[in-house]
């Protein structure tokens, strides 16, 4: 990497689209096969978007230019798909694959449900967004089993799913749950109920339909936790590149990490924002109040607060921190 040797571990040139590749670097284990899924579950959903910026992290402009979308919480879906397609771990031979990535547009469907009457899963039901996404995922599994042998071989345990919405995999069907879930929501307790204050995202509404056995909650959230650390991974929500411009991993010069713990975001302290801590679970509020009461800033150089109490360049503060708090609830 020339004058920036710290980038070497973080940068991987794309492997040539040959199987096996005839150019370096060679592929490395584990091998991941990326399904070309049925358009109903992927590209069709992108076409039903009302807003061009929804579900994307970048757009292509005239003159072969790329413009970066400022913020889209669900953009990780398209970005991760592209990353797997160019990864040194990718294989074009499913028979040698260690894992299978299923690139359905789970999160993008949430956006579409809020704007467009189509598509629906099931077709005649406009239920909560988690129900629609879970039904689409279940239909994807049925399509996989009808089309390919690989899901059934291990009961889906080697299949990777991204559920990049607020409460992640809490509501997936039990037939899908053995798989590996990438989620923002590392909630492990069981039983559990939805913590969303937005009615369209509450997965606790009971629904009966002929496309699943009995009440859907008995086939989904009542059968498993939201997250299993033995098989699943917590992944960060997508943020605009402005957040990371001072990071040494995108080319900035490294700086001393003198801040022990850092968080700056919405504390949900205004009246009526989250009075029962239903979604935030009072984690950020409790830590903020304790840090002020016990002088954590002066004692340990811990910075916890909102924009009024923790000022400065956000990206630079991140790059100067040993640890960064990712707390549920709020919008930051």
């Amino acid at each position: 990497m020339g004058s920036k040797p710290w980038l070497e571990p973080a940068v991987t040139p794309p492997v040539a689209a040959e199987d096996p590749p005839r150019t370096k670097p060679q592929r490395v284990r584990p091998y991941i096969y990326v399904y070309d899924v049925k358009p109903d579950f992927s590209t069709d959903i992108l076409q039903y978007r009302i807003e061009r910026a929804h579900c994307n992290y970048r757009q292509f402009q005239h003159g072969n230019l790329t413009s970066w979308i400022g913020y889209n919480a669900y953009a990780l879906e398209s970005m991760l798909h592209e990353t797997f397609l160019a990864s040194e771990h990718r294989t074009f031979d499913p028979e040698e694959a260690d894992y299978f990535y299923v690139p359905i547009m789970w999160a993008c469907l949430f956006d579409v449900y809020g704007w467009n009457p189509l598509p629906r899963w099931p077709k005649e039901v406009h239920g909560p967004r988690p129900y629609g996404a879970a039904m689409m995922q279940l239909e994807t599994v049925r399509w996989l089993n009808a089309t390919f042998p690989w899901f059934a071989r291990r009961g889906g345990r080697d299949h990777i799913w991204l559920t990049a919405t607020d409460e992640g995999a809490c509501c997936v069907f039990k037939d899908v749950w053995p798989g590996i879930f990438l989620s923002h929501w590392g909630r492990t307790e069981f039983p559990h109920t939805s913590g969303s204050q937005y009615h369209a995202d509450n997965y606790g509404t009971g629904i009966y339909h002929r496309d699943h056995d009995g009440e859907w909650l008995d086939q989904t959230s009542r059968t498993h936790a939201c997250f299993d650390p033995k098989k699943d991974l917590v992944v960060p929500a997508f943020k605009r590149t402005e957040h990371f411009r001072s990071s040494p991993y995108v080319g900035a010069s490294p700086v001393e990490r003198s801040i022990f713990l850092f968080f700056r975001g919405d504390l949900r302290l205004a009246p009526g924002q989250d009075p029962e801590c239903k979604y935030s679970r009072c984690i950020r509020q409790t830590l903020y109040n304790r840090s002020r009461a016990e002088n954590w800033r002066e004692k340990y150089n811990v910075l916890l607060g909102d924009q009024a109490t923790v000022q400065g360049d956000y990206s630079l503060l991140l790059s100067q921190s040993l640890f960064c708090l990712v707390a549920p609830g709020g919008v930051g």
Side-chain angles (χ1 to χ4, degrees), residues 48-62:
Y48 280 114
R49 291 173 299 158
I50 301 298
E51 295 289 337
R52 183 184 178 209
H54 283 187
C55 310
N56 288 321
Y57 71 99
R58 61 176 177 170
Q59 296 174 345
F60 300 106
Q61 308 288 357
H62 292 294

Side-chain angles (χ1 to χ4, degrees), residues 118-282:
L118 293 172
R120 294 282 179 261
W121 277 275
K123 289 183 178 180
E124 70 278 11
V125 177
H126 187 191
R129 300 195 296 184
Y131 176 72
M135 285 299 299
M136 180 184 70
Q137 187 181 54
L138 182 63
E139 289 300 319
T140 303
V141 169
R142 290 169 176 168
W143 174 77
L144 289 175
N145 283 331
T147 311
F148 308 107
W150 307 303
F151 187 91
R153 283 184 182 176
R154 300 194 62 209
R157 291 190 299 275
D158 51 4
H159 280 55
I160 302 171
W161 306 85
L162 173 65
T163 52
T165 47
D166 286 356
E167 295 189 288
C170 295
C171 63
V172 305
F173 277 85
K174 62 182 181 181
D175 294 341
V176 192
W177 175 247
I180 300 162
F181 283 88
L182 310 180
S183 167
H184 306 325
W185 195 225
R187 183 181 179 186
T188 57
E189 72 262 34
F190 182 79
H192 55 85
T193 57
S194 177
S196 178
Q197 295 192 85
Y198 180 45
H199 70 279
D201 285 353
N202 191 310
Y203 60 79
T205 302
I207 300 175
Y208 291 84
H209 194 272
R210 62 182 178 276
D211 286 352
H212 52 77
D213 294 333
E215 220 266 64
W216 87 291
L217 298 178
D218 292 332
Q219 308 297 318
T220 57
S221 60
R222 291 174 182 164
T223 66
H224 58 76
C226 300
F227 180 83
D228 182 352
K230 294 180 180 178
K231 66 181 183 68
D232 304 328
L233 286 174
V234 171
V235 294
F238 185 83
K239 292 289 187 180
R240 61 185 184 272
T241 53
E242 177 72 9
H243 278 73
F244 311 114
R245 71 178 188 281
S246 297
S247 170
Y249 295 108
V250 294
S253 298
V255 296
E256 181 184 0
R257 295 186 179 271
S258 57
I259 300 171
F260 182 71
L261 176 65
F262 171 69
F263 171 81
R264 188 173 78 188
D266 185 358
L267 292 172
R268 313 299 286 170
L269 295 177
Q273 279 193 314
D274 193 6
E276 299 176 356
C277 296
K278 188 174 181 181
Y279 185 52
S280 66
R281 304 169 76 82
C282 284

Side-chain angles (χ1 to χ4, degrees), residues 1-13 25 88 248-252 254:
M1 289 298 160
S3 61
K4 299 178 180 179
W6 62 86
L7 288 177
E8 291 182 6
V11 176
T12 302
E88 61 187 353
Y249 295 108
V250 294

